[in-house]
Amino acid sequence: MRVIICGAGQVGYGIAERLAAEDNDISVIDTSPELIQAVRDTLDVRGFVGHGAHPDVLAAAGADQADMIIAATLYDEVNIVACEVAHALFNVPTKIARIRAQAYLHSHYQDLFSRDHMPIDVIISPELEVGEMVLRRIALPGASDVVRFANDEIVVLGVECLDDCPLINTPLLQLTELFPDLPATVMAIVRNDELLIPGSSNQMRAGDIAYVATTKLQVQRTLALFGHEEPEAKRIIIAGGGNIGFYVAQTIEARQPRTKVKVIESSLKRANVIADELRNSLVLHGSALDQKLLIEAEIQDADLLVALTNDDQVNLLAAVMAKRLGCQANLVLINNPDYLDLSKSLGIDAHISPRAVTISRVLQHVRRGRIRAVHSVQKGRAEIIEAEALETSPMVGASLRDLDLPPGLRIGAIYRSGEVIKPDGNVRIKPKDRVVLFATSETVKQVEQMFRVSLEFF
């Protein structure tokens, strides 16, 4: 696939890195010579210094032969125009734009990005995507990762196996026998930074991170069996009142009116703006690193600090300080992937990477075949995928035990006619089934082939 990426920042670089590793033909455009040089030095891609919306720059990057353009600069208007030019002059088939300003995304203007007006096929709003991810983590405090599939009927959890977890040191097959009515499947295990696709004889150990597929009705029970029965936070302090922090506070007010929320914002102008918009949340002006301000916000009695500023260092330090002052737990936004490995040693309970969330959204549209959703995990080493089975799929018809599935793939759940089916050796996949599976990066291409439309289908 030939892809043009406009923007070589954190998001653009991450997308280019991922797609280039899969042998796609990638061109990256940015106005910064330094960023383009970094891209050229570290990735197998072509780099072009210039404005991503200018026709001559797009032409030099090969827009006339491109299958897709991903406009991911920091400026919405540049992203919009880049897609417009790619469509009007070069007839690029798929156009994806990163849009941050919520004014463009208001429901009243939902037709703005239709083909008749602005021919953009996919809009990605990092703030909304990350905001929803934050809210899911808040709702399920025992999970390190939460993703919903199949109309929210299937939930995949990333769960740490604690020392008192009753499931450790027990073969997975035996767990199925012990809890036959629990529709939960362990899809993958991360142990000492090693990613394992388990078989029925494998066991979980203390310290492992397990990726488990279950139903929305059995999420709490599944977490409890892994030793996680943390109560939902009722007193939350949000550090950062930007787009994400404001969205989270506003949504909590609407969905959980009994939850007390306080927001700390460093900009007086922004603090006044969001204070006027929020109905029940208290907005405090100042730095999240000001210990006196944290105490004034009653951090010692808070259940959770959610650090959502644009500065990773502020987020990490505020979370550490909050814990030392008595806050029960923390959730941190981390943009720089270099900080991810440090987070646990600093006492960070959970983190969210906007870069990973955005890349997952892009991959959903890059993947070939009937791929409905993608969630990238473990720094891109694997993906959780929801795919629709077609009549021509090689997975349809045979029992799962008779399928020659690659070793890097494990099916977690099947959604059929409104019902979630726990997979076992006797289950047969039918056309139109939606299959949620865990696939290592080496296996993704095979997954695409399994769910791709065959020419015989027409």
Side-chain angles (χ1 to χ4, degrees):
M1 180 180 289
R2 294 175 177 173
V3 182
I4 295 176
I5 300 172
C6 299
Q10 290 275 357
V11 171
Y13 183 94
I15 296 169
E17 182 181 37
R18 186 63 175 277
L19 297 184
E22 298 177 5
D23 297 324
N24 292 290
D25 186 341
I26 307 299
S27 297
V28 181
I29 301 171
D30 200 285
T31 55
S32 167
E34 293 78 17
L35 290 178
I36 289 299
Q37 190 59 50
V39 165
R40 289 170 176 165
D41 290 344
T42 56
L43 302 178
D44 184 17
V45 304
R46 291 186 301 277
F48 298 86
V49 178
H51 198 290
H54 288 178
D56 58 333
V57 178
L58 287 171
D64 59 327
Q65 296 181 334
D67 300 299
M68 176 182 294
I69 182 170
I70 302 170
T73 75
L74 294 175
Y75 306 102
D76 293 350
E77 290 73 22
V78 172
N79 297 337
I80 291 169
V81 175
C83 289
E84 286 266 19
V85 173
H87 171 77
L89 298 184
F90 303 104
N91 199 27
V92 177
T94 304
K95 298 158 289 291
I96 299 176
R98 175 189 185 187
I99 303 295
R100 305 176 71 188
Q102 299 308 297
Y104 284 121
L105 304 174
H106 198 283
S107 59
H108 290 171
Y109 313 124
Q110 60 184 353
D111 292 335
L112 178 62
F113 297 106
S114 67
R115 183 165 291 274
D116 293 335
H117 299 110
M118 292 184 184
I120 300 175
D121 301 292
V122 181
I123 296 295
I124 295 177
S125 173
E127 281 79 7
L128 290 181
E129 301 276 351
V130 173
E132 285 298 328
M133 181 68 75
V134 170
L135 291 165
R136 289 198 292 269
R137 297 284 187 86
I138 291 174
L140 297 172
S144 60
D145 208 347
V146 182
V147 202
R148 298 180 182 275
F149 297 98
N151 303 334
D152 291 347
E153 294 296 327
I154 296 172
V155 182
V156 177
L157 306 168
V159 191
E160 182 180 2
C161 300
L162 303 177
D163 291 331
D164 57 352
C165 172
L167 304 182
I168 61 176
N169 302 323
T170 304
L172 297 183
L173 178 62
Q174 191 172 337
L175 293 179
T176 302
E177 296 170 353
L178 290 171
F179 306 99
D181 62 331
L182 180 66
T185 302
V186 177
M187 305 168 71
I189 296 171
V190 180
R191 178 176 300 154
N192 298 325
D193 203 38
E194 181 183 359
L195 180 62
L196 308 171
I197 304 298
S200 58
S201 61
N202 288 106
Q203 303 176 18
M204 292 178 290
R205 301 175 187 170
D208 286 353
I209 300 292
Y211 286 90
V212 188
T214 188
T215 66
K216 67 177 182 181
L217 298 178
Q218 295 292 336
V219 168
Q220 296 294 349
R221 183 185 174 199
T222 301
L223 285 170
L225 287 174
F226 276 85
H228 291 277
E229 296 185 87
E230 295 91 336
E232 188 173 340
K234 295 299 181 183
R235 291 167 295 183
I236 299 173
I237 295 177
I238 299 173
N243 287 337
I244 299 175
F246 174 65
Y247 177 78
V248 170
Q250 195 174 45
T251 307
I252 290 175
E253 285 187 345
R255 298 179 186 175
Q256 303 163 239
R258 295 185 179 181
T259 299
K260 296 181 179 179
V261 177
K262 296 177 182 178
V263 182
I264 298 175
E265 170 54 41
S266 60
S267 165
L268 178 59
K269 181 179 179 180
R270 178 65 180 175
N272 288 330
V273 168
I274 64 175
D276 290 339
E277 294 290 333
L278 295 171
R279 299 190 306 273
N280 303 318
S281 303
L282 176 65
V283 179
L284 302 173
H285 169 239
S287 170
L289 299 181
D290 184 339
Q291 183 169 317
K292 291 182 179 178
L293 184 61
L294 287 174
I295 293 173
E296 181 185 339
E298 300 179 316
I299 192 70
Q300 65 276 8
D301 298 321
D303 299 315
L304 177 67
L305 174 86
V306 186
L308 301 174
T309 78
N310 291 324
D311 190 320
D312 288 351
Q313 295 180 19
V314 170
N315 291 341
L316 290 166
L317 290 173
V320 171
M321 189 180 295
K323 271 286 196 73
R324 290 183 177 177
L325 291 174
C327 184
Q328 294 298 311
N330 55 44
L331 173 60
V332 176
L333 196 72
I334 301 177
N335 287 284
N336 190 335
D338 294 336
Y339 291 149
L340 296 178
D341 292 334
L342 294 173
S343 62
K344 189 168 185 179
S345 62
L346 292 174
I348 304 302
D349 298 307
H351 65 263
I352 290 176
S353 167
R355 170 172 147 161
V357 172
T358 305
I359 291 173
S360 295
R361 187 82 165 82
V362 169
L363 288 175
Q364 176 180 340
H365 301 281
V366 171
R367 294 282 170 254
R368 299 180 185 275
R370 290 294 182 92
I371 306 299
R372 285 178 165 265
V374 173
H375 182 67
S376 179
V377 297
Q378 295 297 310
K379 299 179 184 177
R381 289 188 293 170
E383 295 175 16
I384 306 170
I385 297 172
E386 177 190 345
E388 181 180 346
L390 300 169
E391 292 179 8
T392 56
S393 170
M395 301 186 71
V396 169
S399 61
L400 293 185
R401 66 163 51 89
D402 294 330
L403 290 175
D404 185 21
L405 298 178
L409 182 153
R410 185 168 170 85
I411 297 174
I414 299 167
Y415 184 69
R416 178 186 300 157
S417 302
E419 179 186 1
V420 178
I421 299 171
K422 180 179 178 179
D424 61 38
N426 297 318
V427 169
R428 299 174 188 269
I429 294 176
K430 297 181 179 181
K432 297 186 179 180
D433 281 356
R434 288 154 70 173
V435 182
V436 175
L437 52 87
F438 193 101
T440 61
S441 57
E442 298 83 7
T443 313
V444 167
K445 290 297 181 185
Q446 292 170 268
V447 173
E448 290 179 316
Q449 291 299 324
M450 290 176 185
F451 293 94
R452 197 169 182 176
V453 178
S454 169
L455 290 176
E456 299 171 1
F457 184 73
F458 296 97

